[in-house]
């Protein structure tokens, strides 16, 4: 696994974060060192995807990056059939995903699309997955996307959502950030790396409170909502269409 050194050197100008070829090359290391319980969250999502998948329907992975969820689903479903549309707007991520699928048994069940998540029609879906991606969409477009997903889901379908969140309580928000920065230090990131990446993500990654997500999902029509994993400012959620 290639080590993430994207922000290791002092930069005179901090450019907005993007999922470039440089980021794609070190993305696995970046995820493990930056997202608490990342592997566990994906493992359980893969299991839930199989649990809620309806034969003949579609799974959508919106913001699929380089395919960790897809690879897990191939293992989780095994010989059982499924169909997934995996979407990401980063050409280097899609290229890396496509290379990972080469020679992978059942890889033709995953259809890759290089596009924005708001550009894809969601239809005949039983499972939609959005991992750490809605937070990069401008807030004014989020309601419409969730409404579109709800309409495209079959009854009994689910949305699996993991996001970086922010408490509405200022003191709690500060506590979450304190413990998150400590997590990154313990995973080998320097103060310079933490600071420069924070600056690069400012106005690019805009987190919301868990309550905001729940309200949006409820307004869209989802009948059940559950936070099934939370670590300070990282939250994995499940929403079910009746």
């Amino acid at each position: 696994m290639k080590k993430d050194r994207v922000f290791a050197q002092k930069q005179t100008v901090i450019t907005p974060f993007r999922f470039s070829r440089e980021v794609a090359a070190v993305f696995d290391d970046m995820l493990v060192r930056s997202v608490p319980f990342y592997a566990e969250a994906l493992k359980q999502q893969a299991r839930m995807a199989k649990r809620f998948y309806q034969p003949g329907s579609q799974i959508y992975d919106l913001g699929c990056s380089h395919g960790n969820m897809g690879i897990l689903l191939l293992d989780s479903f095994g010989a059982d059939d499924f169909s997934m549309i995996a979407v990401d707007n980063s050409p280097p991520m899609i290229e890396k995903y496509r290379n990972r699928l080469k020679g992978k048994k059942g890889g033709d069940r995953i259809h890759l699309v290089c596009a924005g998540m708001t550009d894809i029609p969601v239809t005949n879906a039983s499972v939609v997955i959005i991992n750490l991606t809605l937070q990069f969409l401008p807030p004014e477009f989020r309601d419409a996307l969730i409404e579109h997903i709800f309409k495209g889901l079959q009854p009994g379908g689910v949305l699996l959502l993991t996001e970086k969140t922010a408490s509405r309580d200022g003191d709690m928000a500060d506590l979450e950030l304190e413990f998150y920065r400590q997590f990154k230090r313990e995973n080998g990131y320097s103060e310079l790396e933490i600071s420069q990446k924070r600056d690069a993500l400012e106005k690019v990654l805009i987190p919301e409170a868990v309550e905001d997500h729940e309200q949006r999902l409820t307004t869209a029509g989802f009948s059940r909502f559950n936070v099934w994993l939370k670590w300070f400012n990282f939250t994995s959620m499940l929403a079910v269409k009746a």
Side-chain angles (χ1 to χ4, degrees):
M1 186 187 299
K2 190 174 180 181
K3 194 173 179 64
D4 173 22
R5 302 281 295 168
V6 173
F7 294 98
Q9 302 300 318
K10 177 68 175 177
Q11 300 178 15
T12 54
V13 177
I14 305 295
T15 57
F17 184 87
R18 63 188 184 90
F19 293 94
S20 62
R21 190 168 298 278
E22 181 185 20
V23 169
V26 300
F27 200 51
D28 277 318
D29 184 63
M30 184 180 287
L31 286 168
V32 170
R33 295 167 64 204
S34 300
V35 183
F37 294 103
Y38 174 75
E40 179 66 17
L42 258 64
K43 181 173 73 174
Q44 299 307 330
Q45 283 183 328
R47 290 175 175 174
M48 284 191 279
K50 185 175 183 182
R51 163 69 174 77
F52 286 99
Y53 179 70
Q54 300 172 22
S57 69
Q58 290 283 356
I59 298 173
Y60 287 82
D61 187 2
L62 303 180
C64 62
S65 67
H66 65 332
N68 285 340
M69 176 54 69
I71 299 300
L72 275 175
L73 285 179
L74 290 175
D75 294 337
S76 179
F77 275 83
D80 294 338
D81 196 26
F82 74 93
S83 178
M84 182 167 84
I85 297 173
V87 181
D88 202 280
N89 66 358
S90 167
M93 288 292 189
I94 291 292
E95 178 185 347
K96 189 172 182 179
Y97 199 160
R98 185 170 287 111
N99 289 334
R100 294 178 75 187
L101 289 176
K102 287 179 180 177
K104 188 78 174 174
K105 187 176 180 180
D108 58 347
R109 292 177 284 183
I110 299 175
H111 311 282
L112 304 183
V113 180
C114 189
M117 70 174 80
T118 59
D119 300 324
I120 297 298
V122 174
T123 59
N124 187 32
S126 57
V127 179
V128 177
I129 302 162
I130 305 178
N131 279 329
L132 304 168
T133 306
L134 190 66
Q135 60 201 28
F136 289 101
L137 186 68
E140 60 268 26
F141 298 122
R142 296 177 188 179
D143 288 357
L145 175 63
I146 297 302
E147 290 169 4
H148 175 63
I149 289 170
F150 178 81
K151 290 175 182 176
L153 277 167
Q154 295 290 340
V158 298
L159 171 61
L160 302 173
L161 176 67
T162 295
E163 286 282 285
K164 190 175 183 181
T165 53
S167 175
R168 289 178 176 177
D169 182 307
D171 289 339
M172 290 298 103
D174 290 343
L175 180 72
E176 290 175 345
L177 287 175
E178 175 190 337
F179 276 74
Y180 180 48
R181 287 168 184 159
Q182 183 60 28
F183 171 85
K184 298 186 82 170
R185 293 185 195 103
E186 290 170 352
N187 280 306
Y189 283 116
S190 67
E191 295 297 335
L192 177 64
E193 288 174 292
I194 294 170
S195 174
Q196 292 192 142
K197 188 173 183 182
R198 181 191 64 232
D199 291 345
L201 286 169
E202 187 178 8
K203 297 181 181 179
V204 175
L205 189 164
I206 303 174
E208 297 176 294
V210 174
E211 295 89 344
D212 295 325
H213 287 289
E214 182 175 8
Q215 181 61 56
R216 177 180 294 117
L217 292 163
T218 301
T219 299
F222 287 95
S223 60
R224 282 177 286 162
F225 171 85
N226 186 46
V227 171
W228 61 270
L229 179 65
K230 193 173 191 308
W231 187 97
F232 294 101
N233 56 342
F234 283 85
T235 308
S236 292
M237 297 161 270
L238 166 67
V240 183
K241 181 174 181 176

